[in-house]
Every structure is written in structure tokens, then in C-alpha cells.
């Protein structure tokens, strides 16, 4: 006997919009700020200069993330709206053709002709545009673009991520700043990778290793550049 679901299912894909922006923002905040601090510190800068550079990187990075996400997701939103407007015009022109088009989508998925036609007509009777948006255009409540949400999420998580390596500058000994900053930031990245993977239902170890590896590479490159600049100057 089939057991009925007593509660509605909550799928992890519903988190994809804000989770992507959150992980991207926090990861970029940690990596870019830690790399900047390590690069400046490797160039033998004074602690005060390192702190100023890190703070400037935090503010600039947060604004850049917000602007970048807003512009990018707004472009997606504009494309969605253009497609919806085109679909709205087609629905106003030839409704029978649109029914056949929607039914054809269901037939390709394995539904027989009679059932597909009946489903298409029933869905379009309720909300024709929503039916075509979902099944023809692939636009749904989960995937729809939200520029402001993406911008605010990225800016907030970038600031949170950047604040962690920046705090290390305040508390770490000046003589060991590069080492402490690198180790602490890699730990922050590993934690972020694990939390992000857990929230999205992905393998934790793979995500943690991926995030940590690229963070370590970025810090190593900026440290090398800092050493070269410091030696040249």
C-alpha cells in the first residue's frame, strides 16, 4: 500500500536563487580580501596600510558584487519579460495553435495525444500565459530572476566573508600575519564550502576541497606578486 505524504515536500532546488548568490558572495569576500591582505603584507607594508587596503577591498568588493549581480540578473529578467510579452501576443493571436504547441510538448514527454490535448486546454483555461511560461519557456517561480534579491544577498554575504580575513589583521601578530591569514582564510573557505554543500544537498567533501583549492591558489599567486613588488620597490 502506498504511503501518502502528510506534509508537502520541500525540494532543495527552491534555494538555488539565493544560495548561489550567497555562496558566491561569501567565497569572493574571503578569497579576494584575504588575497589582497596577503599580497600587501608580502610586500612588507605596515600593519596600518594593510588594514586600510583590506577595508577598502571590503567596501569596493561589496559594491562591485551588488552591482554585478544586479546588472547580470536584470539582464536575465529583461529576457524573461521579452519572452513573456512575445508569448502573450501569440496567445492573443491564435489560441488553437498555442494549444497544439503546448500539447506537443506533453506528447514529447510521453503523454498520449488525447490526454495531452486535454491537459493543455485545462491549464490554458486557468492561466494560459503561466502554462506556456512554465512548460514552453522554462520560467517558474523557482527559476525566475530576482535582481534586487541577488544584489542584496551578494553584497551582504561578501561583506560577511570579507570581514573574517580582515579581522585577522587586527588580532594576528604582525610578524606572522601572512601565515595566520592564509591558514585562517583557508579554514573559513573550507567551512563555507561545507555549509554551502549541506544547504544545497551536494557532497560536502567535494565542495569543500573545490572551494579551498581555488582559494589557496589565489592567495599563493597574490603572495608571489606581493613579494616581487616588495623586492622591486
Amino acid at each position: 500500500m502506498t504511503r501518502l505524504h502528510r506534509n508537502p515536500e520541500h525540494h532543495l532546488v527552491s534555494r538555488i536563487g539565493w544560495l548561489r548568490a550567497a555562496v558566491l558572495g561569501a567565497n569572493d569576500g574571503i578569497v579576494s580580501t584575504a588575497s589582497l591582505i596577503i599580497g600587501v603584507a608580502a610586500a612588507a607594508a605596515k600593519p596600518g596600510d594593510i588594514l586600510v587596503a583590506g577595508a577598502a577591498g571590503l567596501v569596493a568588493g561589496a559594491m562591485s558584487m551588488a552591482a554585478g549581480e544586479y546588472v547580470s540578473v536584470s539582464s536575465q529578467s529583461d529576457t524573461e519579460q521579452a519572452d513573456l510579452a512575445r508569448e502573450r501576443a501569440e496567445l492573443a493571436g491564435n489560441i488553437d495553435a498555442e494549444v497544439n504547441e503546448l500539447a506537443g510538448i506533453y506528447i514529447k514527454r510521453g503523454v498520449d495525444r488525447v490526454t495531452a490535448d486535454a491537459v493543455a486546454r485545462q491549464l490554458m483555461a486557468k492561466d494560459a500565459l503561466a502554462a506556456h511560461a512554465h512548460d514552453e519557456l522554462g520560467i517558474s517561480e523557482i527559476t525566475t530572476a530576482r535582481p534586487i534579491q541577488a544584489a542584496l544577498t551578494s553584497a551582504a554575504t561578501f561583506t560577511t566573508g570579507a570581514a573574517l580575513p580582515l579581522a585577522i589583521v587586527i588580532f594576528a601578530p604582525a610578524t606572522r600575519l601572512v601565515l595566520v591569514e592564509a591558514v585562517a582564510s583557508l579554514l573559513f573557505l573550507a567551512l563555507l564550502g561545507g555549509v554551502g554543500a549541506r544547504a544545497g544537498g551536494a557532497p560536502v567533501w567535494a565542495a569543500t576541497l573545490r572551494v579551498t583549492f581555488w582559494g589557496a591558489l589565489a592567495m599563493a599567486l597574490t603572495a608571489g606578486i606581493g613579494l616581487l613588488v616588495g623586492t622591486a620597490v
Side-chain angles (χ1 to χ4, degrees):
M1 182 176 180
T2 303
R3 181 180 298 176
L4 298 176
H5 292 291
R6 295 184 178 181
N7 298 314
E9 295 183 66
H10 297 285
H11 295 286
L12 297 176
V13 71
S14 63
R15 304 174 180 176
I16 193 170
W18 63 264
L19 182 60
R20 181 194 65 82
V23 172
L24 176 63
N27 180 80
D28 198 16
I30 295 172
V31 173
S32 62
T33 306
S35 298
L36 177 62
I37 290 171
I38 290 174
V40 174
K46 298 178 182 178
D49 296 335
I50 297 172
L51 188 60
V52 170
L58 184 153
V59 175
M63 295 304 297
S64 176
M65 287 293 295
E69 281 290 321
Y70 184 80
V71 170
S72 175
V73 181
S74 290
S75 296
Q76 177 187 341
S77 179
D78 291 342
T79 301
E80 290 177 353
Q81 293 305 314
D83 281 341
L84 289 174
R86 188 180 302 110
E87 194 63 38
R88 192 179 289 110
E90 291 175 356
L91 288 168
N94 190 339
I95 194 68
D96 288 333
E98 293 303 304
V99 170
N100 291 332
E101 184 178 30
L102 193 60
I105 294 173
Y106 301 143
I107 291 172
K108 290 180 179 179
R109 295 179 183 174
V111 181
D112 65 81
R113 166 65 69 176
V114 175
T115 303
D117 186 73
V119 170
R121 292 184 182 278
Q122 289 178 29
L123 289 176
M124 289 181 64
K126 180 179 181 181
D127 191 333
L129 183 60
H132 280 267
H134 186 277
D135 291 319
E136 182 183 350
L137 304 178
I139 300 174
S140 67
E141 182 65 24
I142 294 175
T143 61
T144 189
R146 297 180 177 85
I148 295 178
Q149 180 192 64
L152 293 178
T153 301
S154 293
T157 53
F158 181 97
T159 301
T160 302
L164 297 174
L166 189 59
I168 300 299
V169 179
I170 301 174
F171 298 106
T175 56
R176 297 184 179 179
L177 178 58
V178 172
L179 177 61
V180 174
E181 182 70 61
V183 172
S185 296
L186 289 176
L187 290 176
F188 295 148
L189 286 171
L191 179 62
L192 173 64
V195 171
R198 189 67 179 272
V204 173
W205 285 110
T208 301
L209 181 61
R210 180 171 60 243
V211 171
T212 306
F213 170 78
W214 288 109
L217 180 61
M219 286 181 238
L221 290 174
T222 50
I225 293 173
L227 286 171
L228 289 174
V229 173
T231 302
V233 173

